Amino acid sequence: MNQKQLQQEIQRRKTFAIISHPDAGKTTLTEKLLLLGGAIRTAGSVKSRKSEKFATSDWMELEKQRGISVTSSVMQFTYQDYKINILDTPGHQDFSEDTYRTLMAVDSVVMIIDVAKGVEPQTIKLFKVCKDRGIPIFTFINKLDRQGKEPLELFEELEEVLGIESYPINYPIGMGQSFRGVYDRMDHKIEWYNEKRERQTQVLTEDDDLTEILKGVADEGTIRQLEEDLMLLDEAGNPFDFEAVKQGKQTPVFFGSAVSSFGVPTFLEHYLKMAPCPQERESSIGKVKPDSNQFSGFVFKIQANMNPAHRDRIAFLRICSGKFERGMTVWLDRTKKSVKLAQPQQFFADSREIIDDAYPGDIVGLYDPGFYQIGDSVCESKDTFNFGELPQFPPEHFAKVRAKNAMKQKHFLKGVNQLAQEGAIQIYRTPFEETILGVVGQLQFDVFVYRMKAEYGVDLDMQRMSHQIAKWITKPEDADELRKSSNNLVVLDHQERPVIIFENDFSLRWFEQKHPDIELVDSSFSLR
């Protein structure tokens, strides 16, 4: 493939994650974007449980039952000749580790804010990750068909709470029961829906009067408020700064209602024009450009049993440079061994298809018999390099687990090991061969119990522990001595590395005072 063709393919790619606080409408917006792109025929709103219509991105049975996303999913489709990769992430803070890793694989982010609630705690955490990486952020203020905070108040909140400039691309015509549509400030266009729920648009010329055109659409008070706010924004608002958007310092803001599709088409059209295509990435050998002739990528997620019938395991690879071809041989940086990529797949939530080629920005699923770990980098050349470590959170909740039926021990060990390799949980073993489960959030316990039963046929006994902190011991010989002399719980993680689990901060500080020469670290990644 020549350089020009490769660059054309790169320019077509838009890869983004959608982040929000739980219940802000993240999965619903994802569905409407898929619907716009013709990827699905009916949006399975997360509220439509009785009719058994489920969100396309919620592929796990537990997600369908609870109406929440508990794992990141990947959806790919084409719209207006753009190849779009959407990564729908869990909103719940208990699954933030999965979300944080997913954010490493995208070129931009869509941040959804509930108009009534404004900027919420989980949004602040996820925003900080994006800001630290300089990821361009596009804001969609959702649920305008309900009463909420005034738009100008929300802009102030974005700047004060998140510390980012905002520029409204469109502006709501009313709110709640008086919500009639949006006015596009960039294209000077009105978008509304008539009584038949048909989308109507009208571009304004210099001679057109906004008040006259809206007379048949909105009431007098709504129109007057719109004109006052638009005048204020023009005179005192931030000027649009595309360079600041690209650096993640200014966020373009869109208003709408994902449930009713108000403002969603406008948002998508502007997003595709403004959002970056795949960019160069930092690596152990410096910046790697996407149009490099050498193929490279990294694994940001591993998922077991997406197809329960085949008990498969898929490694999600973000392509960073070069052209990916089915059957190609690559080198794994961690092991320096070669791997043939024989069954590459692209995804639409739980459905998938074998592909022949892919390009930077694309997410490819690799069949994984146990080769890959989260954070692995693969390269076409034997002279390998890596894209750095992915974040790993130390667990804060612990429990002893075992199979209720001793005859299921083989299935129990297989399930525990596979789920640990996904990175969603951490597994430890005591000297007495007891299994301890460590998680970041309490809800992960429920997901673990559910998946062990549904995917491995194992019922569990679970005994919660009072411990709160895990620290890795840098020198294995120190662990041997501590097992004999310390009252603290010294265990091994699933890669046989020694870990101390403490009950609280006090017991950790007491240990550090008694053993100043023993070095402890927060993450197993620090031991690589």
Side-chain angles (χ1 to χ4, degrees):
M1 178 178 233
N2 63 42
Q3 196 72 5
K4 185 179 178 183
Q5 288 175 309
L6 179 58
Q7 288 172 346
Q8 285 175 343
E9 291 294 342
I10 292 168
Q11 292 297 322
R12 291 179 60 211
R13 263 66 186 175
K14 303 287 181 179
T15 301
F16 67 96
I18 302 183
I19 63 169
S20 77
H21 197 82
D23 297 324
K26 179 168 48 60
T27 300
T28 307
L29 179 63
T30 303
E31 294 283 302
K32 289 304 168 76
L33 293 174
L34 298 175
L35 195 61
L36 269 178
I40 57 175
R41 289 180 183 159
T42 308
S45 165
V46 291
K47 302 295 182 189
S48 303
R49 293 291 163 247
K50 289 181 181 176
S51 60
E52 295 189 354
K53 283 164 54 185
F54 304 115
T56 307
S57 55
D58 290 342
W59 59 269
M60 195 183 291
E61 192 61 37
L62 183 64
E63 295 177 304
K64 297 175 182 179
Q65 290 177 10
R66 294 200 178 198
I68 58 168
S69 299
V70 300
T71 182
S72 299
S73 56
V74 179
M75 284 142 294
Q76 295 154 319
F77 66 96
T78 302
Y79 180 74
Q80 293 184 352
D81 201 40
Y82 285 102
K83 184 71 177 292
I84 301 169
N85 296 278
I86 301 181
L87 283 73
D88 181 31
T89 61
H92 200 288
Q93 63 180 12
D94 285 7
F95 305 101
S96 51
E97 191 170 3
D98 190 22
T99 300
Y100 280 39
R101 290 189 193 125
T102 299
L103 293 176
M104 302 297 112
V106 300
D107 301 305
S108 60
V109 160
V110 175
M111 175 172 69
I112 303 181
I113 290 175
D114 185 319
V115 69
K117 298 175 181 175
V119 179
E120 298 178 85
Q122 184 66 1
T123 312
I124 297 170
K125 287 183 183 178
L126 297 173
F127 173 84
K128 187 178 183 304
V129 178
C130 300
K131 190 173 184 181
D132 290 346
R133 283 197 59 221
I135 302 175
I137 298 165
F138 297 77
T139 300
F140 187 87
I141 296 178
N142 193 24
K143 303 185 182 179
L144 263 292
D145 49 353
R146 302 181 189 179
Q147 204 61 37
K149 298 183 179 183
E150 291 301 321
L152 298 177
E153 184 184 346
L154 289 165
F155 301 146
E156 193 176 334
E157 207 169 305
L158 285 171
E159 301 204 8
E160 290 184 358
V161 179
L162 299 182
I164 190 170
E165 276 191 3
S166 60
Y167 182 90
I169 303 294
N170 67 15
Y171 203 83
I173 304 168
M175 186 188 297
Q177 290 191 340
S178 66
F179 182 53
R180 294 297 176 263
V182 290
Y183 171 66
D184 189 326
R185 295 178 69 214
M186 296 283 271
D187 293 343
H188 304 290
K189 183 172 68 176
I190 301 167
E191 176 185 348
W192 76 93
Y193 282 76
N194 63 21
E195 297 80 8
K196 296 179 181 178
R197 309 296 298 153
E198 297 166 333
R199 183 189 180 211
Q200 306 286 300
T201 60
Q202 182 169 343
V203 178
L204 274 63
T205 66
E206 289 183 10
D207 299 326
D208 287 328
D209 181 72
L210 184 61
T211 304
E212 288 299 319
I213 290 171
L214 287 177
K215 269 186 178 176
V217 177
D219 63 69
E220 192 176 321
T222 297
I223 297 170
R224 189 169 56 250
Q225 186 68 56
L226 172 68
E227 291 198 314
E228 287 175 6
D229 288 357
L230 290 176
M231 189 180 299
L232 186 62
L233 287 171
D234 289 341
E235 292 176 0
N238 298 313
F240 182 67
D241 185 343
F242 190 49
E243 283 304 309
V245 171
K246 289 195 287 187
Q247 295 168 22
K249 294 178 180 177
Q250 185 183 84
T251 178
V253 178
F254 301 82
F255 289 86
S257 167
V259 165
S260 63
S261 291
F262 262 128
V264 176
T266 307
F267 160 71
L268 183 58
E269 285 157 17
H270 280 294
Y271 168 80
L272 292 174
K273 292 174 192 170
M274 287 191 273
C277 59
Q279 304 293 297
E280 61 185 17
R281 285 188 168 252
E282 290 290 348
S283 76
S284 56
I285 59 166
K287 292 187 187 300
V288 174
K289 294 188 175 181
D291 60 356
S292 164
N293 288 325
Q294 293 288 335
F295 166 80
S296 67
F298 66 91
V299 174
F300 67 93
K301 176 181 173 65
I302 292 172
Q303 186 74 53
N305 304 324
M306 285 187 72
N307 184 343
H310 295 102
R311 291 284 179 263
D312 60 351
R313 179 178 137 119
I314 299 294
F316 288 77
L317 180 84
R318 154 71 195 230
I319 300 175
C320 298
S321 68
K323 181 183 179 182
F324 174 94
E325 293 179 314
R326 178 180 173 184
M328 72 189 301
T329 297
V330 298
W331 297 82
L332 194 57
D333 178 67
R334 177 175 48 84
T335 64
K336 308 300 179 189
K337 292 181 179 179
S338 62
V339 183
K340 188 173 182 180
L341 307 180
Q343 293 179 304
Q345 302 166 6
Q346 283 194 331
F347 294 90
F348 190 76
D350 63 338
S351 61
R352 58 184 98 167
E353 61 180 25
I354 300 292
I355 56 161
D356 293 319
D357 51 40
Y359 300 90
D362 285 341
I363 309 297
V364 176
L366 304 175
Y367 172 71
D368 181 19
F371 292 149
Y372 303 106
Q373 292 180 14
I374 288 172
D376 275 348
S377 297
V378 297
C379 311
E380 192 173 357
S381 168
K382 268 189 178 183
D383 298 322
T384 62
F385 55 88
N386 66 74
F387 290 99
E389 297 174 355
L390 294 186
Q392 183 186 45
F393 291 15
E396 299 173 17
H397 308 278
F398 299 86
K400 289 183 179 179
V401 291
R402 65 180 182 87
K404 280 185 177 179
N405 184 348
M407 301 295 287
K408 292 277 188 177
Q409 184 66 8
K410 185 177 177 182
H411 294 85
F412 170 76
L413 293 175
K414 181 181 179 181
V416 163
N417 289 329
Q418 286 194 350
L419 295 183
Q421 287 164 356
E422 287 184 13
I425 56 166
Q426 294 183 35
I427 292 295
Y428 310 95
R429 307 222 184 268
T430 71
F432 310 105
E433 290 302 309
E434 294 174 304
T435 299
I436 294 176
L437 175 66
V439 298
V440 175
Q442 295 273 9
L443 194 53
Q444 288 176 296
F445 282 134
D446 297 342
V447 174
F448 177 76
V449 170
Y450 174 85
R451 292 189 64 187
M452 287 293 291
K453 172 66 175 175
E455 298 172 18
Y456 300 94
V458 179
D459 288 307
L460 297 178
D461 272 332
M462 182 175 288
Q463 180 187 342
R464 298 289 177 95
M465 300 167 62
S466 59
H467 297 66
Q468 298 172 2
I469 301 168
K471 295 283 185 180
W472 275 255
I473 303 169
T474 57
K475 297 177 183 176
E477 57 269 26
D478 288 341
D480 295 335
E481 185 58 37
L482 286 171
R483 284 193 186 93
K484 300 172 188 173
S485 60
S486 172
N487 291 327
N488 289 292
L489 187 56
V490 181
V491 296
L492 296 176
D493 70 8
H494 77 284
Q495 292 190 15
E496 303 296 313
R497 293 169 298 207
V499 181
I500 304 185
I501 302 178
F502 297 96
E503 284 206 28
N504 48 42
D505 284 325
F506 176 79
S507 58
L508 170 60
R509 288 196 301 272
W510 179 261
F511 176 88
E512 289 172 336
Q513 289 172 6
K514 286 188 67 178
H515 304 278
D517 298 331
I518 294 179
E519 185 184 1
L520 303 178
V521 293
D522 290 333
S523 163
S524 59
F525 277 80
S526 305
L527 303 177
R528 287 187 171 186

